[in-house]
Amino acid sequence: MSRWGITLPLTGVPLATHRELVRELPDLGYTDVWTAETAGTDAFTPLALVAEWAPTLRLGTAIVPVFTRGPGLLAMSAATIAELAPGRFALGIGTSSPAIVEGWNGGEFTEPFKRTRDTLRFLRAALAGEKVSETYDTFTVSKFRLERPPAAPPEIMLAALRPGMLRLAAREADGAITNWLAAADVPKVRAEIGPDAELVARIFVCPTEDAEAARGLGRLLISSYLTVPVYAAFHDWLGRGDLLRPMHEAWAAGDRRGANAAIPDTVVDDLIVHGSPEACRERIQSYVDAGLTTPAIAVLPTGADPADLVRALAPKR
């Protein structure tokens, strides 16, 4: 089955007022709703609402950080959504970033690969209803058992950008979630996880024919994200290191405006889908044709009604 996901909540739209749009999503052809977790809504609460408003949609977190909740609390939150949406929930977990983990949440961003692996293994056991007493490399759990284990444990997916985490996702998880890539990059990522694992990607979509406006917004986002070390390394691996070097140099020198200006149009156009809604749908489909299982569309603001943009990007037109 072809999947077509949307990222909620929409920018600038109050959470409760999503109800009408969410109820339309299945008829529009959307199959999935995915959330994120940085400094806006948490990842779980919007999914609880969606589970009530549109009980056929698949729900997913992309992603919940493994450092900002204890393992037991993470299992409880996941079990709650799995109970509300049995068989229709995918728990996406990942490392997040030092800024979010340390700067915003007072945690320690240490041994991210091991912490993600350990959390995945703990969640597998806990969400299956097992009593867990285990010393992992990065934390210890003693006598934890969910009081309400889900009848259908959720799929667990890993945020992964480079071969090590992608291969861990292929070995031990139910799939991989990635971010900030072009359609032409999908085959390289797909090669690391094999042909059968689910691959989800958040795709940033700006449905406007004002190319300069779309590129201006795209540059702000790219300089904010791709200067983070994990994303910088990801794009080095994908082969954009030379193209992005002037941006990194300007950013390191504190020249934010210069960093934005240094991003080539070709990079913006590769990483930000923009144009008419019809052109955007074709670009999104090109990711699927290249090997992506599930696009999780993130609608960028254009000045138009965000709900109307979601309707315009739907596969059933």
Side-chain angles (χ1 to χ4, degrees), residues 255-308:
D255 182 2
R256 303 298 188 252
R257 182 176 296 180
N260 290 336
I263 304 167
D265 283 353
T266 54
V267 171
V268 182
D269 294 345
D270 279 348
L271 300 179
I272 302 291
V273 173
H274 61 89
S276 68
E278 294 78 10
C280 289
R281 286 200 302 274
E282 290 178 5
R283 284 276 309 280
I284 296 163
Q285 183 61 44
S286 72
Y287 282 79
V288 177
D289 294 341
L292 182 68
T293 315
T294 306
I297 298 163
V299 178
L300 300 179
T302 67
D305 183 334
D308 286 343

Side-chain angles (χ1 to χ4, degrees), residues 115-184:
R115 179 65 179 240
T116 303
R117 180 202 62 200
D118 293 347
T119 302
L120 168 62
R121 291 174 179 175
F122 164 77
L123 289 169
R124 280 284 192 221
L127 291 168
E130 298 176 17
K131 185 176 183 179
V132 183
S133 290
E134 187 73 41
T135 298
Y136 301 93
D137 284 349
T138 58
F139 58 84
T140 298
V141 174
S142 176
K143 300 177 182 178
F144 176 85
R145 175 177 281 161
L146 285 169
E147 293 180 3
R148 299 171 68 98
E155 297 173 310
I156 304 176
M157 306 185 70
L158 296 188
L161 297 176
R162 287 184 291 161
M165 199 72 82
L166 287 165
R167 292 169 189 164
L168 176 63
R171 287 193 309 270
E172 299 193 33
D174 295 300
I177 300 169
T178 193
N179 196 12
W180 282 110
L181 79 170

